[in-house]
Amino acid sequence: MSDDLLARLKSYEGCPAAVARTGKDPVNAPMIRHWCEALGDTNPAYTGPDAVAPPTMLQVWTMGGLTGHDTRTQAYDELLALLDESGCTSVVATDCEQEYVRPLRPGDEITFDTVIESVSARKTTKLGTGHFVTTRTELRVGPDLVGIHRFRILKYAPARRPEKKPPRPRPVVNRDNAGFWKGVEQHKLLIQRCTACATLRFPWLPGCASCGAPDWDTVEATGEGTVYSYVVMHHPPFPAFDPPYAVALIELAEGVRMISNVIGTPYEKVRIGMPVRLEFQSYDDELVLPVFRVAEEAAV
Amino acid sequence: MKAGDEIPPLTIPVTRTLIVAGAIASRDYQDVHHDAELARRKGSPDIFMNILTTNGLVGRYITDHFGPAAVLKKVAIRLGAPNYPGDTMVLTGTIEDVDGDTVTVRVIGANGIGNHVTGTVTVSQGSAR
Ligand SMILES: [Zn+2]
């Protein structure tokens, strides 16, 4: 890291991160009860007409919730952006130090100010390298200081885990379809043909759907086809695949249809009726699959 | 009570429900505290407990022991090994200092992978109340 970056980070020390902000809700009994329920805290001091809020809820009264606070200071935004730009895109809270000046009670309206207290030099941690940012928040009810909340986060660049993609799933090869996969190994797309009635069938099945005869031979597909239909897979992401991608039902020139991928064309450009041509794509040492590429004349 | 005395441990089963309920009760909607899929995408094996819940549990441990009249004055914690669902955290405390009504307790919360939290709590026993 350049000393220049550290100097820029350090320049935010002492700058405000929040000014005269108001808590989204006043201290209130329902939020206290939900907290106590979640944490299993049965302290009677937190219920009844003289209830106080659990002191450790201090930070809760300053939280932005789902919609956040609409007024973060420019200085704090800039600091976070600078850290993001330097690769420190992840964040984790590491320290919380609170002083409770007086108990908070339902009805107390909280205002608070936060100052960026310090930004550390680049540190290496188990999570990755990054900078600790410490803020100090003073909470008030009216003019009275009621609590001090010092908070430290680590903004860090996640340590790179060697990301080994799991292999693409293997086909299930059985007695009924072994001939098909044998063909694929030899870069041939074989279609089954009933020897009794000559009906072509795909995928491979033990008998003819037309006449019920069990005997068959094969015809090698020319490899010409068209996109009969397709879907674009967005979610859920399966480990071996990179969504989004197009899964197409290809109608072969011979008339049968098969499910495959359309490769070499952005998923959003795949269209019904597109002419495609067979290719054999190797995915790893052991896996070759028949896939389809948009035919030259229709290339987009 | 004197420095060096230990207070009885409190065992907290770290359930998925506790993690999510604690995050929501503390108004903390960071996805790593409720969405396992997004947590994994950020390099975490699962969701994990947020610091506000840990802070609250440390406070609860002390007030459970000292009783409803006790008033927390300071809680300072540092997080270490994350609290993932299915783990168990055992909070233990050692009296560090007794100054009249005020007691300082060193607290450690250990889970299956290490110390989740270490910290110091200052509590007024509230005998005057
Ligand atoms: Zn037939």
Side-chain angles (χ1 to χ4, degrees), chain A residues 18-27 59-65 68-71 107-114 137-142, chain B residues 27:
Chain A
V19 179
R21 206 180 281 165
T22 304
K24 283 201 160 177
D25 296 289
V27 175
Q59 188 185 358
V60 176
W61 311 116
T62 70
M63 295 293 277
H69 284 289
D70 40 28
T71 50
D108 282 341
E109 302 256 9
I110 301 288
T111 57
F112 59 100
D113 296 86
T114 303
T137 300
E138 294 187 350
L139 291 85
R140 288 186 164 71
V141 174
Chain B
R27 306 274 297 144

Side-chain angles (χ1 to χ4, degrees), chain B residues 35-57:
Chain B
D35 188 326
E37 190 181 322
L38 292 182
R40 278 193 283 273
R41 224 176 276 176
K42 290 181 177 170
S44 175
D46 205 330
I47 61 167
F48 55 91
M49 185 178 285
N50 71 339
I51 194 166
L52 289 88
T53 300
T54 302
N55 200 46
L57 291 170

Side-chain angles (χ1 to χ4, degrees), chain A residues 233-239 241 243 245, chain B residues 37:
Chain A
M233 187 66 188
H234 291 275
H235 193 84
F238 296 107
F241 298 82
Y245 53 90
Chain B
E37 190 181 322

